[in-house]
Amino acid sequence: MATTRYQASPLLTRRAHVASALTLLLVFSGCATVDPSPDYEQARREVKAATGEDAFYQPGEEKRARERVAELMKDGLTSKEAVQVCLLNNRSLQEQLFEIGVRRADAVQAGLISNPSLQMLARFPVDGGSTNVEGNLLQNLVELWHLPARKRLAESQVERTVLEVAHRAASLAAQAKSAYFTAVASSASLSVAEENLRTAQEFLSLTRERQDAGAATQVDVNAARSGLLEQQVFVRSARFAAFEAKRRLALVLGIAVAPQEIEIAGPPLTPPEWSLDLERLLAVAEQHRLDLRSAKKGVEVAGNAVPLERRRLLRNVSGGLAFESVASNLALGPSLKLEIPVFDQNQAQIAKAEFRFSQALHRLEGVSAQVSQQVRGAYERYAMAQDTARLYQKELLPLREASLELARESFAAGKTGFLSVLEAQNRLLATRRDYVDRIESVAQSIPELEAACGRPLDVLLDTDDDSGR
């Protein structure tokens, strides 16, 4: 039995190859998707390392973030919870996070080659004969040479943006903690103002008793009453300052509730007993400050741009397939289109990239010096505030209280005059107010230290951990 074999024509075979090539190009192009989720996760890890808090807003998780914020706001805020609310709810931070998605989209685009171009030319006979069809399917081949450098540059830009956003988040966390401590200190100032008011009321009552006994004059009573009215003014001012402190806290946290509704659940501020080592703080900041790491990444970005521009001497070398069809005859062959770099050899863009690289190096040096001075300044402010607060707590405040008690006893017994008691009382009331200010200065210096070093306080205190992680 005879066997019949079918052999495809060369024309059909060539068309099938062209169709297959086009199909592969479409398939590979369709595989490119923009997914910034890993980059958001990297930003979250960087923020956690810098602040010690794991809570962090991620685009697409708005409902979960709102529920978590509502949960944190219940039963009063601690300093840790205030930072968490800020990281989940601050609108400016949320806005900046989308820049990471933009950079990831740029990175995906950098990994794509441009679309091929199809050029067609048809000639129709005037006096009869066959139609002549010519065509070129071209692809820019020089992009294959640019692609690795272009992708490295785009990825470096993504990493730099992640560090910049994480640094912004860490700065906002420090602002939230600072605003929280101000709110706590303002509440303490209000309590001290009310305590001073009670002290002034007691003194006025004592002065009136001494007047009834003939040992004090109406001038003394008026002076004591004047002091009482002055303390009432202090109470009103302290009440407004507490309102303003909570309002500023609400702004940083990104919440719209009335400031009076924000409940502070943190413990009262006290002078800390621990100490810090400046050299260790400098080493931690040099290794972990996010803006310093971002500046280093900026040098990398600028450095990656230089070889990419140098590769762009030839910007358009297109190759592909040319075909010509006359009647039923199809002719195929390679096609090449070459841009000749006679006038524009990309020298301006190469020079620009080199200038950018030098600029990035100088920026890194400036940021490094700035970080060092910020750490030194934060350390000295903390040390001074701590020493002063301890002096008030352990020596000056007990001395003022004892002096007033002695002066009152002596005045009640008729041994001393009114002015000695009034002077002792005024000094005590002023010392109480100053002590709250000193405690607030210590509390404010802590988030400043954390921001300057790029790591939370528990890491800065862990002297056994040289890495600062």
Side-chain angles (χ1 to χ4, degrees), residues 13 39 53 60 79-80 99 108 148 182 204 206 257 280 291 296 334 348 351 359 372 403-404 410 419 439 454:
T13 302
D39 305 310
E53 302 300 336
S79 61
K80 287 176 63 66
E99 188 64 25
V108 171
T182 298
L204 177 59
L206 177 61
V257 301
R280 170 175 160 74
D291 54 343
K296 293 176 181 177
Q359 185 182 49
S372 175
S403 297
L404 177 59
S410 180
L419 291 180
I439 292 294

Side-chain angles (χ1 to χ4, degrees), residues 42-262:
Q42 178 62 29
R44 185 195 65 79
R45 289 194 296 267
E46 295 288 356
V47 173
K48 180 181 179 181
T51 65
E53 302 300 336
D54 197 29
F56 194 61
Y57 169 82
Q58 291 197 16
E61 298 184 358
E62 285 77 9
K63 182 179 179 182
R64 185 188 67 83
R66 286 195 297 269
E67 291 174 350
R68 180 60 178 153
V69 168
E71 181 182 348
L72 290 169
M73 294 294 295
K74 291 180 180 178
D75 303 324
L77 281 174
T78 64
S79 61
K80 287 176 63 66
E81 290 172 340
V83 171
Q84 292 175 27
V85 171
C86 176
L87 294 176
L88 287 167
N89 201 59
N90 185 278
R91 298 303 189 273
S92 64
L93 176 58
Q94 293 176 1
E95 175 188 347
Q96 281 200 324
L97 270 167
F98 288 98
E99 188 64 25
I100 295 177
V102 172
R103 286 300 183 185
R104 174 50 59 190
D106 290 341
V108 171
Q109 183 66 47
L112 299 177
I113 59 175
S114 61
N115 295 322
S117 59
L118 178 63
Q119 181 181 8
M120 298 291 294
L121 176 63
R123 297 186 180 91
F124 301 100
V126 178
D127 299 326
S130 301
T131 301
N132 184 7
V133 178
E134 297 179 11
N136 285 287
L137 181 64
L138 298 174
Q139 177 67 47
N140 190 353
L141 300 179
V142 77
E143 285 187 323
L144 300 177
W145 186 35
H146 294 167
L147 195 62
R150 196 169 68 188
K151 290 177 65 175
R152 284 195 301 271
L153 175 60
E155 287 295 334
S156 298
Q157 289 173 332
V158 172
E159 294 171 12
R160 182 185 182 186
T161 301
V162 167
L163 291 174
E164 288 175 346
V165 172
H167 176 63
R168 171 63 177 163
S171 298
L172 283 171
Q175 292 178 29
K177 189 175 289 188
S178 177
Y180 176 86
F181 287 143
T182 298
V184 173
S186 297
S187 297
S189 295
L190 178 58
S191 298
V192 166
E194 292 171 343
E195 182 181 3
N196 286 349
L197 179 61
R198 289 190 294 271
T199 301
Q201 288 173 336
E202 293 171 359
F203 181 54
L204 177 59
S205 298
L206 177 61
T207 304
R208 283 173 173 165
E209 290 176 2
R210 297 302 298 158
Q211 182 187 33
D212 293 340
T217 66
Q218 185 62 40
V219 174
D220 297 334
V221 172
N222 290 344
R225 188 167 181 273
S226 176
L228 175 64
L229 294 175
E230 185 179 30
Q231 296 309 313
Q232 289 177 346
V233 172
F234 284 141
V235 168
R236 294 176 183 178
S237 298
R239 188 172 290 117
F240 177 75
F243 167 83
E244 276 293 294
K246 286 187 175 182
R247 188 182 65 84
R248 288 191 292 269
L249 176 62
L251 285 173
V252 178
L253 301 186
I255 56 179
V257 301
Q260 300 91 328
E261 297 179 13
I262 300 177

